[in-house]
Amino acid sequence: RFSRRLSSCQDNVCMAMKNDSSFYAVGCRSFTLLLDSKTLHTIKKIPARFTGCGIRSLSFQDNVITIGTGVGVIMFYDIRAGKYLASSINSSRSVVLNTRRGYVSPDEDSMVNQRIEQAKYTPAIYTHCYDYSGTRLFSAGGPFSANLCGNYAGLWQ
């Protein structure tokens, strides 16, 4: 029906819609925009917990936005409370899920891949979703760099 320019966004990569169709979320380089679904006006700009991490995937689970990043971290933002979910062990820390090392296709002709193999590789989270019960989260992704080939998949319960 209509469109709106997102002037403050760079590197728009992903979007999601809340189940009741009241919000859209748009993932950008360092933040997530919450948009009113009727007007497309920005309701809230949610900064990422990690500067320049690149938001790569979004989903809604009730009033919580799950945010997958380009640095292998999944974050959880409570829309009602207006803040990231806090740890029950240490309330000054946010709840995050950190991915493990993914698979990078070995390419003996490429020095870049050899350096990646030796360095710690963390995959970008390009997609994620909850199961029907909302108790398990599946995530998948791969190398952030376009010149690498590989994959990652994880399941949290």
Side-chain angles (χ1 to χ4, degrees):
R1 292 192 213 164
F2 60 96
S3 63
R4 180 169 304 277
R5 182 182 174 95
L6 300 175
S7 60
S8 62
C9 259
Q10 292 181 337
D11 198 19
N12 299 331
V13 174
C14 57
M15 68 177 285
M17 183 175 71
K18 194 166 185 293
N19 290 345
D20 65 5
S21 302
S22 57
F23 296 118
Y24 291 116
V26 177
C28 304
R29 182 177 295 162
S30 296
F31 54 87
T32 301
L33 287 179
L34 273 184
L35 306 173
D36 180 286
S37 63
K38 293 177 183 157
T39 64
L40 295 184
H41 288 289
T42 301
I43 296 170
K44 184 153 187 84
K45 185 176 178 179
I46 304 165
R49 300 292 287 174
F50 304 92
T51 305
C53 65
I55 308 303
R56 296 292 175 241
S57 62
L58 295 166
S59 69
F60 285 93
Q61 181 68 17
D62 297 323
N63 288 304
V64 174
I65 302 174
T66 305
I67 304 168
T69 69
V71 293
V73 175
I74 300 174
M75 306 175 289
F76 304 89
Y77 187 85
D78 186 330
I79 298 169
R80 284 188 183 163
K83 63 181 183 176
Y84 284 94
L85 293 183
S87 167
S88 59
I89 297 169
N90 182 352
S91 61
S92 66
R93 297 191 67 183
S94 296
V95 174
V96 297
L97 298 175
N98 291 298
T99 60
R100 297 210 176 189
R101 185 181 169 137
Y103 170 77
V104 176
S105 177
D107 180 1
E108 291 153 8
D109 296 333
S110 172
M111 293 304 288
V112 174
N113 283 346
Q114 289 175 8
R115 279 186 248 129
I116 291 291
E117 289 294 329
Q118 294 168 0
K120 185 175 177 182
Y121 159 69
T122 53
I125 302 300
Y126 290 112
T127 188
H128 64 270
C129 65
Y130 288 90
D131 69 351
Y132 289 111
S133 69
T135 59
R136 292 189 294 181
L137 176 65
F138 171 78
S139 65
F144 187 73
S145 177
N147 64 342
L148 295 177
C149 182
N151 57 58
Y152 168 83
L155 181 65
W156 283 276
Q157 185 166 348

